[in-house]
Amino acid sequence: MKFSDTFEVRFAEMVTHYPTKRSALVPTLLYAQDEVGCLSDEVIAELAQRLELTELEVRNVISYYSMLTTKPRGKYNVQVCTNISCLVRGGEEILHHCQKKLGIGHKGTTPDGIFSLEEVECIGGCSWAPAAQVNYDYHENLTAEKMDKVLEEYRRKEMQ
Amino acid sequence: MAYLVSHPDEVKIVSRRFGQGAANLDRYLELDGYKAVQKALAMEPDAIINEVKNSGLRGRGGAGFSAGMKWSFVPKQSAKPKYVLCNGDESEPGTCKDRLIFEHDPHSVIEGVTIAALAVGAQTGYIYIRGEYRYLSVIMQKALRDAYARGFLGKNIFGSGRNLDIYWHGGAGAYEVGEESALMESLEGKRGIPRIRPPFPAVVGLWGGPTVINNAETLASVPHIILGGAEWFARLGPPKNGGTRLFCLSGNLNMPGVYELPMGYNLKKMVYDVGGGIPNGRRLKAVVPGGSSTPCLTADEIDVNMDFDSVAKAGSMLGSGGVVVIDDAQCIVKFALRTMKFYQHESCGWCIPCREGTDWLKKTLLRFHAGGGLKKDIDNMQYLAENMLGRTFCPLGDAAAMPMIAFVKKFRKEFEDHLEGRPCPYEKEGAVEQLPVFAH
């Protein structure tokens, strides 16, 4: 299993930060997922071995955290918040708009593999609601038109 | 990235470096950065703790416990290493203040952790940032590298002979990890299942060592207290509620945003003046004063001062400072449903009252909002919520139950308006998620 050099440098440093190796697990899983696309069997086996854990222990942790996934997602994961602050400012409408536009539902992926859609819990964009994240990028004070532009931009990026 | 707002009533202390490029270390130093640490290095640990105690600084994460008191619980002698843990897992719906601190003033958090470590005798600190805030962890990692490069962290900090390491740590999406014992579990690389207390983290915490856990805003306030003095800080707010708070104004307002106001600022003024009032000619229905877990206040109840004790007297909590404003176009049943959906999603499932309670509340509300409600559901929901209170390891069960009880008690009529198969009176296109309507 090969990760990028950046990953390896970060990992090597991170394990020195704690008295137990497994402490590096949660952030390492997220960085591994960002590189590979999901936490595949191969990734799980590799990290379990590196952190001296059983694969079951790693899977046990993965299933707890909502950002971690063992199933591949689209290249751009559109995460629309519909929690209370977003709800009262039209967060649900943004979600429904994305569903229609992308033709997929919650946790679905477009056939071309470019987009995934997820209804998420509060992402900390409350004062700039409604808010969404595409991968790690924040998009705030959204309207349906603004969301269209955001999606178009990512699609254009993919075409280039 | 998140844009900033301002209002003449603001007292900018924690936010005074926002928008001034203070993530850059040189700029931070120009703005009095790291002066407090140097002052603290010359102080006795007990003097630091007393200063923070006397300042009236109370936990900004939600519980409002005296920060200095918390520090004083850490034993002087310990066979195991001591730790300071900064809680930046900000996930309470309605709360987005720590995000601004990490973005605009990351060194103030490092400085706060350093001072806490000096006070309790720790040599290691961790700054935990939620996984969604990736761009902030990048900013924080750079800030830490810069601080190490100048000798502000590491061996012999500021030439004092003291050693201190501070590391960044990241989450991966979990509200419950914001609870202090679950936070430690997560940092140790496990599921964020809360621990039973006692023993409290100050005695048995990370890897069994005494651990001080404070919210990012609490720690970012500490350098200002050390520099400005306890008395000055305490006088900013009413008795026992020192300082200012970053209030996250969100919801149906003309000017939502994060405003730093003195403790005890009037909520009505916050809504109508600071937040610019309700848009589109709508009227106020309710305000959730301190994040989704705090009981809502009706439009008639908001003439309350926003400090821990006054809000408690009004039957709610100051919580995390997330003020969510709800106008009269919103449906409270739907609002309650969304709140319960959140808690059901975030419950770790360890304690049965929380796991089953949140699930039943969500299911009942889903059916109720879709027009399949029974009259007895209303009392049942309240009864169910009341039976969750105080029966769980961590406060997540309470966090779900408290707002639910308030919704039913204060907006019973809205629940009744949904009865007898009537469609939601506030819904334009009818309920989205239809469930089979139960027979009476």
Side-chain angles (χ1 to χ4, degrees):
Chain A
M1 178 94 227
K2 208 163 156 40
F3 294 110
S4 70
D5 292 345
T6 325
F7 179 94
E8 293 299 350
V9 170
R10 189 188 299 112
F11 179 78
E13 196 204 316
M14 204 174 254
V15 285
T16 66
H17 292 173
Y18 316 95
T20 60
K21 270 191 179 173
R22 86 171 283 171
S23 290
L25 181 60
V26 176
T28 302
L29 281 168
L30 196 53
Y31 278 115
Q33 176 175 296
D34 292 342
E35 286 202 353
V36 181
C38 72
L39 296 167
S40 61
D41 292 350
E42 211 186 352
V43 174
I44 293 170
E46 173 73 19
L47 293 181
Q49 186 245 328
R50 287 193 192 193
L51 297 172
E52 293 162 18
L53 296 167
T54 63
E55 288 183 32
L56 183 66
E57 283 170 309
V58 176
R59 285 180 193 279
N60 187 357
V61 169
I62 292 171
S63 67
Y64 178 85
Y65 294 91
S66 60
M67 290 174 78
L68 302 178
T69 177
T70 53
K71 294 188 187 76
R73 285 177 181 149
K75 187 163 177 194
Y76 301 106
N77 190 27
V78 183
Q79 303 148 79
V80 183
C81 176
T82 58
N83 213 310
I84 51 173
S85 298
C86 288
L87 176 80
V88 299
R89 290 183 82 95
E92 280 199 336
E93 285 74 11
I94 299 291
L95 178 71
H96 297 149
H97 184 76
C98 289
Q99 284 173 338
K100 254 202 289 197
K101 198 88 188 169
L102 298 172
I104 50 177
H106 173 58
K107 293 204 174 176
T109 302
T110 53
D112 57 11
I114 298 177
F115 289 108
S116 286
L117 183 63
E118 215 178 317
E119 178 184 9
V120 291
E121 298 301 348
C122 186
I123 52 174
C126 317
S127 289
W128 312 281
Q133 265 187 305
V134 180
N135 295 346
Y136 291 105
D137 295 336
Y138 276 87
H139 300 281
E140 293 165 326
N141 296 310
L142 288 168
T143 57
E145 295 74 44
K146 215 167 154 189
M147 194 72 222
D148 281 344
K149 276 200 195 120
V150 169
L151 295 177
E152 269 161 37
E153 219 163 276
Y154 283 100
R155 199 179 285 281
R156 202 169 326 125
K157 219 164 149 188
E158 190 51 32
M159 296 305 171
Q160 276 167 3
Chain B
M1 210 168 78
Y3 74 93
L4 300 169
V5 285
S6 74
H7 185 272
D9 284 0
E10 276 192 291
V11 178
K12 292 190 187 253
I13 293 166
V14 173
S15 65
R16 62 177 269 242
R17 299 190 191 95
F18 287 9
Q20 300 196 45
N24 176 297
L25 181 50
D26 287 317
R27 183 76 186 121
Y28 183 71
L29 290 170
E30 276 171 28
L31 299 165
D32 297 331
Y34 287 102
K35 279 191 183 156
V37 167
Q38 295 180 62
K39 190 174 171 191
L41 277 164
M43 291 164 76
E44 286 296 319
D46 279 342
I48 301 175
I49 293 177
N50 279 334
E51 195 75 356
V52 175
K53 245 190 218 171
N54 295 337
S55 74
L57 174 66
R58 292 168 68 168
R60 303 310 198 222
F65 193 77
S66 157
M69 198 75 94
K70 216 180 207 180
W71 295 6
S72 71
F73 294 153
V74 174
K76 294 259 177 296
Q77 303 296 329
S78 168
K80 291 195 170 166
K82 301 180 201 175
Y83 299 98
V84 175
L85 172 51
C86 167
N87 187 347
D89 188 59
E90 175 166 80
S91 316
E92 173 89 3
T95 318
C96 48
K97 63 188 176 60
D98 298 343
R99 183 175 157 195
L100 291 184
I101 299 174
F102 289 131
E103 182 175 334
H104 293 277
D105 204 6
H107 286 284
S108 71
V109 180
I110 299 175
E111 220 183 327
V113 173
T114 306
I115 295 167
L118 293 172
V120 302
Q123 294 193 0
T124 312
Y126 295 96
I127 298 172
Y128 190 115
I129 301 176
R130 68 180 296 193
E132 289 86 344
Y133 287 175
R134 172 61 61 83
Y135 81 104
L136 299 177
S137 71
V138 173
I139 292 173
M140 185 52 80
Q141 287 173 54
K142 181 179 183 302
L144 287 166
R145 270 198 308 275
D146 292 348
Y148 268 101
R150 299 283 174 98
F152 298 169
L153 292 174
K155 298 254 177 289
N156 189 21
I157 59 167
F158 295 94
S160 65
R162 308 280 296 265
N163 303 331
L164 176 66
D165 284 309
I166 300 181
Y167 305 114
W168 157 85
H169 189 90
Y175 166 74
E176 196 181 5
V177 164
E179 191 277 330
E180 58 176 17
S181 69
L183 184 72
M184 296 190 292
E185 289 288 302
S186 179
L187 186 71
E188 292 182 12
K190 301 170 195 161
R191 291 170 77 89
I193 308 280
R195 299 176 183 174
I196 193 136
R197 280 143 292 171
F200 288 94
V203 184
V204 182
L206 279 171
W207 304 288
T211 305
V212 161
I213 305 167
N214 289 126
N215 173 259
E217 187 189 348
T218 311
L219 287 164
S221 306
V222 168
H224 300 290
I225 294 169
I226 297 298
L227 277 185
E231 209 179 305
W232 159 77
F233 192 81
R235 268 207 309 263
L236 293 168
K240 293 182 186 159
N241 288 271
T244 54
R245 263 206 99 154
L246 294 174
F247 287 102
C248 321
L249 269 52
S250 73
N252 304 121
L253 282 173
N254 278 313
M255 288 184 284
V258 178
Y259 298 88
E260 182 166 10
L261 296 162
M263 278 283 201
Y265 195 86
N266 185 276
L267 178 57
K268 200 168 184 174
K269 239 178 125 190
M270 212 182 278
V271 171
Y272 289 106
D273 185 1
V274 180
I278 320 291
N280 308 326
R282 290 280 173 188
R283 293 158 64 97
L284 179 70
K285 182 181 273 186
V287 178
V288 176
S292 65
S293 60
T294 59
C296 65
L297 300 169
T298 63
D300 302 333
E301 294 172 327
I302 64 161
D303 194 3
V304 54
N305 294 340
M306 291 289 273
D307 59 74
F308 287 104
D309 303 318
S310 305
V311 183
K313 214 185 269 169
S316 187
M317 285 168 74
L318 190 59
S320 59
V323 179
V324 187
V325 176
I326 308 165
D327 73 17
D328 62 354
Q330 310 299 328
C331 168
I332 288 292
V333 177
K334 180 154 188 188
F335 194 88
L337 166 60
R338 188 61 188 87
T339 308
M340 289 311 120
K341 190 175 165 207
F342 169 70
Y343 287 105
Q344 187 268 345
H345 180 262
E346 299 299 332
S347 173
C348 75
W350 186 259
C351 310
I352 295 165
C354 172
R355 180 184 71 211
E356 299 300 316
T358 53
D359 198 43
W360 274 108
L361 287 172
K362 182 189 109 172
K363 280 182 184 158
T364 310
L365 282 164
L366 199 54
R367 171 167 55 77
F368 205 98
H369 188 250
L374 307 176
K375 199 156 189 292
K376 64 179 180 188
D377 285 332
I378 304 174
D379 287 328
N380 275 347
M381 283 189 278
Q382 187 180 338
Y383 178 71
L384 197 90
E386 280 167 354
N387 277 288
M388 289 161 68
L389 284 177
R391 291 192 166 89
T392 49
F393 270 35
C394 88
L396 198 146
D398 296 345
M402 290 184 303
M404 188 64 224
I405 295 167
F407 289 137
V408 174
K409 274 194 183 160
K410 297 182 181 181
F411 292 95
R412 195 178 181 93
K413 177 144 190 325
E414 280 199 28
F415 282 84
E416 287 168 353
D417 284 347
H418 283 74
L419 286 173
E420 291 152 23
R422 268 181 296 215
C424 172
Y426 299 90
E427 201 80 33
K428 280 152 257 156
E429 298 155 25
V432 181
E433 293 170 275
Q434 287 283 352
L435 269 190
V437 174
F438 284 24
H440 285 255

